[in-house]
Amino acid sequence: MGELEDAVMTRVWKWNRPVTVREVLEDLQQERSIAYTTVMTVLDNLHQKGWVRREAEGRAYRYEAVSTRAAYAAALMNDAWSQSDNPAAALVAFFGMMSEEQRRALRDAVRIVQGPETAEATSDTGGDTADENPGSAPEGDGR
């Protein structure tokens, strides 16, 4: 997603309701000079890419996000990770870039994904798990 597409989607996600080209235009114009047709084209492109759906309202459309910003971020991370020739090394490097707050969020996310049964089994073994030390490199051959 390009910079202008991101600026438009940020508003669509933030408002969390169907929006018109005019609403997005007026908000964007607080930051930059931009034409109605430019915003209309960006929203049309986002529709073509599947990021927004639209519904006709008179002679115009109302646009609504198809998924959340979190889902978009997750798709970006998954795409980048899947393109790596060494996914484990990519994860270690990524974890190394994280702040302590981000690592805590990661540990919380791992607990949620694992569910209560897996989390209890892991804590019963007393082992060093990825959610306890996400920045540590995996042992073995790195697969």
Side-chain angles (χ1 to χ4, degrees):
M1 184 177 307
E3 186 266 328
L4 187 53
E5 288 175 329
D6 184 66
V8 169
M9 280 306 301
T10 294
R11 282 145 180 90
V12 175
W13 282 318
K14 181 176 78 173
W15 296 334
N16 197 27
R17 62 174 172 76
V19 300
T20 64
V21 172
R22 176 79 46 207
E23 289 173 308
V24 175
L25 171 71
E26 289 173 359
D27 199 58
L28 282 171
Q29 284 179 330
Q30 295 176 27
E31 299 172 3
R32 64 177 88 191
S33 176
I34 189 166
Y36 180 93
T37 54
T38 302
V39 177
M40 185 175 61
T41 299
V42 169
L43 280 163
D44 185 60
N45 290 344
L46 289 166
H47 177 257
Q48 299 293 329
K49 291 179 179 182
W51 286 106
V52 296
R53 65 179 144 259
R54 67 184 179 193
E55 189 170 315
E57 184 175 278
R59 292 178 28 210
Y61 288 108
R62 284 204 172 264
Y63 295 86
E64 186 173 18
V66 170
S67 65
T68 64
R69 182 166 206 120
Y72 172 67
L76 285 176
M77 289 186 286
N78 187 57
D79 185 48
W81 186 51
S82 67
Q83 291 180 32
S84 173
D85 61 348
N86 188 340
L91 283 174
V92 170
F94 180 63
F95 296 153
M97 294 179 208
M98 295 175 122
S99 67
E100 188 52 42
E101 181 180 341
Q102 290 170 319
R103 286 189 183 115
R104 278 193 297 275
L106 174 66
R107 286 191 289 272
D108 292 345
V110 168
R111 283 188 202 100
I112 290 167
V113 170
Q114 288 178 334
E117 295 163 2
T118 307
E120 287 173 16
T122 302
S123 64
D124 290 344
T125 63
D128 185 20
T129 63
D131 63 321
E132 292 169 347
N133 191 359
S136 64
E139 306 244 349
D141 64 1
R143 283 188 276 159

